[in-house]
Amino acid sequence: MSDIWLISDTHFSHRNILKFVDKNGELIRGNRFSSVEEMNDCMYDNWNDLVKPTDEVYHLGDLIMGKDENFVKRFKSLNGEKRIIVGNHDNIKWIVKEDLFKDVLMWKTMREHNLLLTHVPIDKSGLRRYEDNGENKLYINVHGHIHQNLSPTKHHRCVCVEWTDYKPIPIEEVEALNNYVAGENDV
């Protein structure tokens, strides 16, 4: 199995996320979890069930919201060498002060996997990749931020926990994620 894992938008300790609803009025996480503690425990358990201590984990932002005095200790006990792609709700100064991640990044290009990791999905025009032979390809933008919503094009893959069953996913499974609807942007 993989030694590189991806996850986004855990929102550890975010009590109000259990009240968020989708466009149909359905609870996004509240249907699955009766408390924020249950949600946190599920994500912690899933993480350590899958990730080995020597693996790499890229968290694509929005790590925690709210107060949790046990969070730092518990998060540091999670397996893997952790890196974060900063999300719009992340407190960078606090993350650095608490030494939660090996790297704190705004984005990450993984040329060998043809992936561009970001928090927010970026415009398809920003995915252009020029090869030495002059070939023009597009990266796949692996992102978070949009939770249960569909990715904008076939060149995007959302790894928010709502799409990954509240687990990190192996990098090899990113291509298989099918969380978009074909449309005019898919040319």
Side-chain angles (χ1 to χ4, degrees):
M1 191 50 103
S2 184
D3 60 352
I4 301 174
W5 300 83
L6 303 163
I7 192 168
S8 187
D9 292 85
T10 48
H11 285 251
F12 285 111
S13 304
H14 187 188
R15 294 194 185 285
N16 281 340
I17 203 163
L18 298 179
K19 299 175 187 172
F20 288 5
V21 295
D22 64 16
K23 63 184 175 189
N24 299 319
E26 299 290 322
L27 289 168
I28 295 168
R29 295 190 189 185
N31 285 338
R32 175 155 180 174
F33 304 110
S34 60
S35 69
V36 73
E37 293 79 16
E38 180 184 1
M39 178 184 75
N40 287 350
D41 288 345
C42 173
M43 290 188 291
Y44 287 129
D45 292 345
N46 287 341
W47 186 307
N48 274 345
D49 286 347
L50 295 167
V51 178
K52 298 183 299 294
T54 56
D55 291 347
E56 288 181 75
V57 180
Y58 286 88
H59 192 295
L60 303 190
D62 288 0
L63 175 66
I64 180 174
M65 290 186 70
K67 300 290 183 200
D68 183 344
E69 59 191 48
N70 299 315
F71 175 76
V72 171
K73 182 179 179 184
R74 198 159 183 202
F75 186 76
K76 285 183 175 184
S77 76
L78 291 176
N79 290 334
E81 189 173 82
K82 299 179 269 306
R83 292 170 169 82
I84 190 167
I85 308 296
V86 176
N88 57 302
H89 291 294
D90 292 321
N91 181 331
I92 299 170
K93 285 182 181 180
W94 177 79
I95 285 171
V96 170
K97 178 180 150 268
E98 295 297 340
D99 195 30
L100 297 176
F101 294 92
K102 179 178 179 173
D103 293 311
V104 178
L105 308 161
M106 295 307 291
W107 68 86
K108 170 78 173 166
T109 303
M110 301 181 91
R111 194 171 180 87
E112 64 279 13
H113 296 284
N114 197 47
L115 301 177
L116 174 63
L117 310 181
T118 61
H119 176 63
V120 176
I122 64 169
D123 187 80
K124 186 176 158 186
S125 65
L127 301 179
R128 204 156 300 293
R129 171 182 170 173
Y130 299 99
E131 300 296 314
D132 292 336
N133 65 3
E135 185 181 354
N136 188 357
K137 293 175 70 174
L138 292 177
Y139 283 109
I140 291 175
N141 179 203
V142 183
H143 63 86
H145 186 66
I146 62 173
H147 293 276
Q148 80 290 350
N149 296 309
L150 296 170
S151 289
T153 77
K154 68 180 180 182
H155 302 285
H156 293 81
R157 299 294 188 279
C158 182
V159 294
C160 288
V161 295
E162 292 86 358
W163 284 104
T164 66
D165 198 26
Y166 302 89
K167 303 172 186 175
I169 66 164
I171 199 166
E172 296 86 3
E173 290 184 17
V174 166
E175 190 74 43
L177 278 174
N178 188 16
N179 50 25
Y180 70 96
V181 172
E184 61 188 51
N185 294 332
D186 285 344
V187 179

